[in-house]
Short mmCIF file of all heavy atoms in Angstrom, two decimals:
data_model
loop_
_atom_site.label_atom_id
_atom_site.label_comp_id
_atom_site.label_asym_id
_atom_site.label_seq_id
_atom_site.Cartn_x
_atom_site.Cartn_y
_atom_site.Cartn_z
N MET A 438 -31.77 15.03 7.18
CA MET A 438 -31.06 14.72 8.42
C MET A 438 -29.75 15.45 8.43
O MET A 438 -29.05 15.52 7.38
CB MET A 438 -30.82 13.22 8.50
CG MET A 438 -31.94 12.31 8.34
SD MET A 438 -31.31 10.58 8.23
CE MET A 438 -32.84 9.71 8.10
N SER A 439 -29.32 15.86 9.54
CA SER A 439 -27.96 16.42 9.67
C SER A 439 -27.02 15.20 9.63
O SER A 439 -27.38 14.06 9.83
CB SER A 439 -27.79 17.15 11.01
OG SER A 439 -27.76 16.17 12.09
N THR A 440 -25.70 15.47 9.29
CA THR A 440 -24.75 14.43 9.24
C THR A 440 -24.53 13.71 10.57
O THR A 440 -24.39 12.50 10.67
CB THR A 440 -23.39 15.00 8.67
OG1 THR A 440 -23.62 15.56 7.41
CG2 THR A 440 -22.33 13.89 8.62
N ASP A 441 -24.61 14.49 11.68
CA ASP A 441 -24.48 13.88 13.00
C ASP A 441 -25.64 12.92 13.21
O ASP A 441 -25.41 11.82 13.80
CB ASP A 441 -24.47 14.95 14.08
CG ASP A 441 -24.09 14.43 15.41
OD1 ASP A 441 -23.05 13.77 15.51
OD2 ASP A 441 -24.82 14.71 16.36
N TYR A 442 -26.80 13.33 12.81
CA TYR A 442 -28.03 12.42 12.92
C TYR A 442 -27.79 11.17 12.03
O TYR A 442 -28.13 10.04 12.46
CB TYR A 442 -29.22 13.21 12.47
CG TYR A 442 -30.61 12.56 12.68
CD1 TYR A 442 -31.44 13.13 13.68
CD2 TYR A 442 -31.04 11.55 11.93
CE1 TYR A 442 -32.72 12.62 13.87
CE2 TYR A 442 -32.34 11.04 12.11
CZ TYR A 442 -33.17 11.58 13.12
OH TYR A 442 -34.42 11.06 13.27
N ARG A 443 -27.28 11.36 10.83
CA ARG A 443 -27.03 10.20 9.92
C ARG A 443 -26.06 9.19 10.53
O ARG A 443 -26.24 8.03 10.40
CB ARG A 443 -26.48 10.71 8.59
CG ARG A 443 -27.46 11.64 7.79
CD ARG A 443 -26.71 12.21 6.60
NE ARG A 443 -27.35 13.42 6.10
CZ ARG A 443 -26.89 14.19 5.11
NH1 ARG A 443 -25.73 13.86 4.51
NH2 ARG A 443 -27.52 15.27 4.74
N ASN A 444 -25.04 9.77 11.19
CA ASN A 444 -24.10 8.87 11.90
C ASN A 444 -24.76 7.89 12.85
O ASN A 444 -24.40 6.74 12.94
CB ASN A 444 -23.01 9.70 12.63
CG ASN A 444 -22.02 10.39 11.77
OD1 ASN A 444 -21.73 9.90 10.65
ND2 ASN A 444 -21.42 11.46 12.24
N GLY A 445 -25.77 8.43 13.53
CA GLY A 445 -26.52 7.60 14.52
C GLY A 445 -27.31 6.48 13.85
O GLY A 445 -27.48 5.42 14.44
N VAL A 446 -27.84 6.76 12.70
CA VAL A 446 -28.52 5.72 11.86
C VAL A 446 -27.50 4.71 11.37
O VAL A 446 -27.68 3.52 11.50
CB VAL A 446 -29.30 6.28 10.76
CG1 VAL A 446 -29.98 5.17 9.95
CG2 VAL A 446 -30.36 7.30 11.25
N ASP A 447 -26.43 5.23 10.83
CA ASP A 447 -25.46 4.41 10.14
C ASP A 447 -24.77 3.37 11.02
O ASP A 447 -24.57 2.23 10.60
CB ASP A 447 -24.38 5.32 9.49
CG ASP A 447 -23.39 4.58 8.71
OD1 ASP A 447 -23.75 3.97 7.71
OD2 ASP A 447 -22.16 4.64 9.06
N VAL A 448 -24.42 3.79 12.22
CA VAL A 448 -23.68 2.87 13.07
C VAL A 448 -24.49 1.60 13.40
O VAL A 448 -23.93 0.52 13.61
CB VAL A 448 -23.18 3.56 14.39
CG1 VAL A 448 -24.36 3.84 15.31
CG2 VAL A 448 -22.14 2.73 15.11
N MET A 449 -25.84 1.75 13.37
CA MET A 449 -26.66 0.60 13.70
C MET A 449 -26.84 -0.35 12.52
O MET A 449 -27.44 -1.43 12.65
CB MET A 449 -27.99 1.07 14.16
CG MET A 449 -27.98 1.75 15.52
SD MET A 449 -27.51 0.56 16.86
CE MET A 449 -28.91 -0.53 16.85
N THR A 450 -26.31 -0.01 11.35
CA THR A 450 -26.32 -0.96 10.22
C THR A 450 -25.70 -2.28 10.54
O THR A 450 -26.06 -3.31 9.92
CB THR A 450 -25.80 -0.36 8.93
OG1 THR A 450 -24.43 -0.06 9.14
CG2 THR A 450 -26.54 0.91 8.52
N THR A 451 -24.76 -2.27 11.46
CA THR A 451 -24.11 -3.49 11.87
C THR A 451 -25.14 -4.52 12.31
O THR A 451 -24.90 -5.76 12.08
CB THR A 451 -23.07 -3.20 12.98
OG1 THR A 451 -22.06 -2.31 12.50
CG2 THR A 451 -22.44 -4.44 13.51
N GLU A 452 -26.16 -4.07 12.97
CA GLU A 452 -27.12 -5.03 13.52
C GLU A 452 -28.01 -5.68 12.52
O GLU A 452 -28.83 -6.54 12.81
CB GLU A 452 -28.00 -4.32 14.59
CG GLU A 452 -27.26 -3.67 15.68
CD GLU A 452 -26.16 -4.53 16.27
OE1 GLU A 452 -26.38 -5.79 16.45
OE2 GLU A 452 -25.02 -4.05 16.54
N THR A 453 -27.85 -5.31 11.21
CA THR A 453 -28.55 -6.02 10.13
C THR A 453 -27.75 -7.16 9.58
O THR A 453 -28.24 -7.93 8.78
CB THR A 453 -28.78 -5.02 8.95
OG1 THR A 453 -27.53 -4.67 8.39
CG2 THR A 453 -29.56 -3.80 9.42
N THR A 454 -26.46 -7.33 9.97
CA THR A 454 -25.47 -8.25 9.52
C THR A 454 -24.99 -7.90 8.08
O THR A 454 -24.46 -8.74 7.38
CB THR A 454 -25.94 -9.70 9.49
OG1 THR A 454 -26.96 -9.97 8.57
CG2 THR A 454 -26.41 -10.12 10.91
N CYS A 455 -25.11 -6.64 7.70
CA CYS A 455 -24.57 -6.21 6.40
C CYS A 455 -23.01 -6.17 6.48
O CYS A 455 -22.48 -6.19 7.58
CB CYS A 455 -25.14 -4.88 6.00
SG CYS A 455 -24.45 -3.48 6.90
N LEU A 456 -22.42 -6.06 5.35
CA LEU A 456 -20.91 -6.03 5.29
C LEU A 456 -20.40 -4.66 5.59
O LEU A 456 -19.43 -4.43 6.34
CB LEU A 456 -20.43 -6.50 3.93
CG LEU A 456 -18.91 -6.43 3.74
CD1 LEU A 456 -18.24 -7.51 4.58
CD2 LEU A 456 -18.53 -6.60 2.31
N SER A 457 -21.05 -3.63 4.96
CA SER A 457 -20.67 -2.24 5.14
C SER A 457 -21.80 -1.38 4.76
O SER A 457 -22.91 -1.85 4.41
CB SER A 457 -19.46 -2.00 4.26
OG SER A 457 -18.91 -0.68 4.50
N SER A 458 -21.55 -0.02 4.76
CA SER A 458 -22.62 0.89 4.44
C SER A 458 -21.93 2.10 3.70
O SER A 458 -20.75 2.37 3.87
CB SER A 458 -23.32 1.41 5.69
OG SER A 458 -22.43 2.04 6.54
N ILE A 459 -22.74 2.83 2.91
CA ILE A 459 -22.23 4.01 2.29
C ILE A 459 -23.46 4.91 2.04
O ILE A 459 -24.57 4.38 1.75
CB ILE A 459 -21.48 3.75 0.96
CG1 ILE A 459 -20.81 5.03 0.48
CG2 ILE A 459 -22.38 3.17 -0.08
CD1 ILE A 459 -19.68 5.49 1.33
N TRP A 460 -23.33 6.23 2.16
CA TRP A 460 -24.40 7.20 1.98
C TRP A 460 -24.03 8.12 0.85
O TRP A 460 -22.86 8.47 0.68
CB TRP A 460 -24.65 8.01 3.24
CG TRP A 460 -25.19 7.27 4.44
CD1 TRP A 460 -24.68 6.15 5.02
CD2 TRP A 460 -26.36 7.56 5.18
NE1 TRP A 460 -25.43 5.78 6.08
CE2 TRP A 460 -26.54 6.67 6.24
CE3 TRP A 460 -27.31 8.62 5.11
CZ2 TRP A 460 -27.53 6.67 7.15
CZ3 TRP A 460 -28.39 8.64 6.02
CH2 TRP A 460 -28.48 7.67 7.02
N ARG A 461 -25.06 8.65 0.23
CA ARG A 461 -24.76 9.75 -0.67
C ARG A 461 -24.39 10.99 0.20
O ARG A 461 -24.86 11.13 1.31
CB ARG A 461 -26.04 10.16 -1.52
CG ARG A 461 -27.29 10.48 -0.75
CD ARG A 461 -28.39 10.92 -1.73
NE ARG A 461 -28.06 12.18 -2.42
CZ ARG A 461 -28.44 13.38 -1.97
NH1 ARG A 461 -29.21 13.48 -0.88
NH2 ARG A 461 -28.09 14.43 -2.66
N THR A 462 -23.50 11.83 -0.33
CA THR A 462 -23.08 12.97 0.45
C THR A 462 -23.63 14.25 -0.15
O THR A 462 -23.99 14.31 -1.34
CB THR A 462 -21.54 13.03 0.49
OG1 THR A 462 -21.00 13.14 -0.92
CG2 THR A 462 -20.94 11.71 1.10
N ASP A 463 -23.54 15.30 0.59
CA ASP A 463 -24.13 16.61 0.19
C ASP A 463 -23.44 17.73 0.88
O ASP A 463 -22.41 17.57 1.58
CB ASP A 463 -25.64 16.61 0.35
CG ASP A 463 -26.06 16.32 1.83
OD1 ASP A 463 -25.18 16.47 2.77
OD2 ASP A 463 -27.24 16.03 2.03
N GLU A 464 -23.96 18.94 0.79
CA GLU A 464 -23.38 20.09 1.43
C GLU A 464 -23.29 19.97 3.01
O GLU A 464 -22.44 20.51 3.64
CB GLU A 464 -24.16 21.35 1.10
CG GLU A 464 -23.94 21.77 -0.35
CD GLU A 464 -22.49 22.07 -0.66
OE1 GLU A 464 -21.89 22.85 0.13
OE2 GLU A 464 -21.98 21.53 -1.64
N ASP A 465 -24.23 19.23 3.59
CA ASP A 465 -24.17 19.03 5.08
C ASP A 465 -22.95 18.18 5.44
O ASP A 465 -22.30 18.36 6.43
CB ASP A 465 -25.46 18.43 5.60
CG ASP A 465 -25.56 18.59 7.11
OD1 ASP A 465 -26.01 19.67 7.54
OD2 ASP A 465 -25.14 17.64 7.84
N THR A 466 -22.69 17.15 4.57
CA THR A 466 -21.47 16.34 4.81
C THR A 466 -20.23 17.22 4.72
O THR A 466 -19.34 17.11 5.51
CB THR A 466 -21.35 15.25 3.73
OG1 THR A 466 -22.65 14.72 3.40
CG2 THR A 466 -20.49 14.13 4.19
N LYS A 467 -20.25 18.09 3.72
CA LYS A 467 -19.12 19.02 3.52
C LYS A 467 -18.91 19.90 4.73
O LYS A 467 -17.81 20.17 5.22
CB LYS A 467 -19.29 19.81 2.26
CG LYS A 467 -18.16 20.73 1.95
CD LYS A 467 -18.42 21.51 0.62
CE LYS A 467 -17.23 22.40 0.31
NZ LYS A 467 -17.49 23.16 -1.00
N ALA A 468 -20.07 20.44 5.24
CA ALA A 468 -20.04 21.33 6.40
C ALA A 468 -19.40 20.58 7.63
O ALA A 468 -18.68 21.17 8.37
CB ALA A 468 -21.40 21.87 6.71
N TYR A 469 -19.88 19.34 7.81
CA TYR A 469 -19.38 18.53 8.92
C TYR A 469 -17.87 18.31 8.86
O TYR A 469 -17.14 18.55 9.82
CB TYR A 469 -20.03 17.17 8.94
CG TYR A 469 -19.67 16.21 10.04
CD1 TYR A 469 -20.43 16.11 11.24
CD2 TYR A 469 -18.50 15.45 10.04
CE1 TYR A 469 -20.07 15.26 12.30
CE2 TYR A 469 -18.15 14.62 11.04
CZ TYR A 469 -18.90 14.51 12.17
OH TYR A 469 -18.53 13.70 13.20
N LEU A 470 -17.40 17.91 7.66
CA LEU A 470 -15.95 17.70 7.51
C LEU A 470 -15.17 19.03 7.69
O LEU A 470 -14.06 19.10 8.25
CB LEU A 470 -15.72 17.04 6.17
CG LEU A 470 -16.12 15.57 6.01
CD1 LEU A 470 -16.04 15.20 4.55
CD2 LEU A 470 -15.26 14.66 6.88
N THR A 471 -15.73 20.06 7.12
CA THR A 471 -15.07 21.42 7.22
C THR A 471 -15.02 21.85 8.72
O THR A 471 -13.94 22.34 9.16
CB THR A 471 -15.81 22.47 6.42
OG1 THR A 471 -15.88 22.05 5.04
CG2 THR A 471 -15.16 23.82 6.51
N GLU A 472 -16.08 21.67 9.45
CA GLU A 472 -16.03 22.01 10.87
C GLU A 472 -14.98 21.21 11.60
O GLU A 472 -14.40 21.71 12.58
CB GLU A 472 -17.41 21.74 11.49
CG GLU A 472 -17.52 22.03 12.98
CD GLU A 472 -17.27 23.47 13.36
OE1 GLU A 472 -17.59 24.39 12.56
OE2 GLU A 472 -16.71 23.72 14.44
N HIS A 473 -14.72 20.01 11.15
CA HIS A 473 -13.68 19.17 11.78
C HIS A 473 -12.30 19.37 11.13
O HIS A 473 -11.41 18.53 11.35
CB HIS A 473 -14.11 17.69 11.72
CG HIS A 473 -15.23 17.36 12.68
ND1 HIS A 473 -16.58 17.60 12.34
CD2 HIS A 473 -15.26 16.84 13.94
CE1 HIS A 473 -17.31 17.29 13.37
NE2 HIS A 473 -16.57 16.81 14.36
N GLY A 474 -12.12 20.43 10.43
CA GLY A 474 -10.83 20.77 9.88
C GLY A 474 -10.41 19.94 8.71
O GLY A 474 -9.19 19.88 8.37
N ARG A 475 -11.31 19.25 8.06
CA ARG A 475 -10.94 18.34 6.96
C ARG A 475 -11.87 18.54 5.74
O ARG A 475 -12.33 17.62 5.09
CB ARG A 475 -11.08 16.90 7.44
CG ARG A 475 -10.01 16.57 8.54
CD ARG A 475 -10.02 15.14 8.98
NE ARG A 475 -11.25 14.77 9.66
CZ ARG A 475 -12.13 13.91 9.15
NH1 ARG A 475 -11.93 13.37 8.00
NH2 ARG A 475 -13.23 13.62 9.86
N GLY A 476 -12.12 19.78 5.41
CA GLY A 476 -12.93 20.06 4.24
C GLY A 476 -12.41 19.44 2.95
O GLY A 476 -13.20 19.09 2.08
N GLU A 477 -11.08 19.26 2.91
CA GLU A 477 -10.53 18.72 1.71
C GLU A 477 -10.83 17.20 1.54
O GLU A 477 -10.70 16.65 0.46
CB GLU A 477 -8.98 18.81 1.75
CG GLU A 477 -8.20 17.95 2.73
CD GLU A 477 -8.28 18.47 4.13
OE1 GLU A 477 -8.89 19.57 4.37
OE2 GLU A 477 -7.64 17.87 5.04
#
Side-chain angles (χ1 to χ4, degrees):
M438 309 170 176
S439 71
T440 300
D441 191 51
Y442 190 109
R443 298 172 202 175
N444 284 334
V446 178
D447 183 61
V448 71
M449 290 296 293
T450 60
T451 297
E452 304 314 320
T453 67
T454 69
C455 74
L456 178 71
S457 186
S458 64
I459 190 69
W460 293 55
R461 60 175 294 265
T462 62
D463 56 18
E464 287 301 310
D465 196 83
T466 322
K467 182 178 181 179
Y469 181 97
L470 291 169
T471 301
E472 177 62 32
H473 287 81
R475 295 184 294 113
E477 71 279 3

